Amino acid sequence: MISKVFSRLTNSNFYKGVQKNVRRFEQSALDLLPDATFNKNKTVGLIGDIGRDISSAENRLILGVSALMSQPFIDAKNKDVDEKTRKVSVCRTIAKIVAGTLTGYAIRKGCISAIKNWSQLPAKGIPRYKSLFTPKGARSTNSEAFKQYQNAMGTVVALVVMLFTNFAIDAPLTKFLTNLLVKQTGGDK
């Protein structure tokens, strides 16, 4: 039954006319854009370079800054709640973003640095703990693959550490910052 109705609708002249006008509108919008040609190898190479140079710590910082530039404004424009709730919501969102970004960046950066210090090649005069995270068979610590290994291992260790710091640091810091911001804006807790 439904398929017959849908079939009649899609085969009707009205539907075909609407579809034709939609295509015409889409093409008009595309015609407004300037012509551009992308060099695939150059674009892919640039994206690859960015991916190699930015660690998870810097990635967290970028996400935090972009969240801080957008999410509080979304909360501030929420018309489904009263003014007081809206203010507290904005303060809480800002506090969560700031606390999460600061602790996330610091822990990731610290763990990546620790892994870099603890993944040296075994040699005379180097304590055993300094080669604790060095993969077996590693010959050079200067290769690109080894640097990516250090970043990845540091990120994994940071994720394990953050299982505990989310409750020990993030939650209390978020609460403190929320209360501070609410107090500054003149709202209630």
Side-chain angles (χ1 to χ4, degrees):
M1 171 88 178
I2 295 176
S3 62
K4 286 182 181 179
V5 171
F6 184 73
S7 176
R8 285 183 184 166
L9 178 65
T10 55
N11 290 327
S12 70
N13 288 333
F14 174 75
Y15 179 79
K16 289 178 181 177
V18 169
Q19 198 173 28
K20 185 178 179 182
N21 287 329
V22 167
R23 280 196 210 113
R24 210 179 286 155
F25 176 75
E26 288 172 344
Q27 189 59 49
S28 298
L30 289 173
D31 289 342
L32 294 174
L33 297 173
D35 292 337
T37 305
F38 294 99
N39 183 342
K40 181 180 176 184
N41 293 333
K42 188 176 181 181
T43 306
V44 170
L46 177 66
I47 293 169
D49 291 342
I50 291 170
R52 275 189 300 277
D53 295 338
I54 295 179
S55 71
S56 65
E58 287 87 14
N59 190 8
R60 181 63 184 104
L61 195 60
I62 292 168
L63 288 172
V65 169
S66 61
L68 194 59
M69 293 187 316
S70 61
Q71 290 178 358
F73 299 104
I74 294 169
D75 285 346
K77 297 294 181 184
N78 185 2
K79 299 297 181 192
D80 293 336
V81 296
D82 61 86
E83 186 68 26
K84 186 176 174 182
T85 305
R86 198 175 309 135
K87 284 182 182 180
V88 173
S89 178
V90 169
C91 292
R92 181 154 175 77
T93 299
I94 291 170
K96 284 169 65 174
I97 293 169
V98 169
T101 300
L102 289 177
T103 57
Y105 175 78
I107 291 168
R108 284 177 176 90
K109 198 68 168 174
C111 288
I112 290 171
S113 295
I115 293 298
K116 286 181 180 179
N117 287 332
W118 296 341
S119 62
Q120 298 178 11
L121 292 176
K124 287 186 177 181
I126 294 180
R128 188 177 174 111
Y129 73 90
K130 292 254 184 184
S131 61
L132 185 64
F133 288 96
T134 305
K136 292 182 180 178
R139 296 192 174 120
S140 171
T141 58
N142 293 329
S143 70
E144 188 64 35
F146 193 78
K147 290 177 183 174
Q148 290 300 318
Y149 160 78
Q150 289 174 324
N151 281 336
M153 184 59 76
T155 300
V156 168
V157 171
L159 291 174
V160 172
V161 170
M162 285 187 287
L163 288 173
F164 303 100
T165 60
N166 279 342
F167 301 104
I169 298 173
D170 279 11
L173 183 59
T174 299
K175 184 177 178 183
F176 171 77
L177 290 174
T178 300
N179 291 338
L180 184 70
L181 290 170
V182 168
K183 188 177 178 182
Q184 294 294 322
T185 60
D188 296 318
K189 287 190 179 179

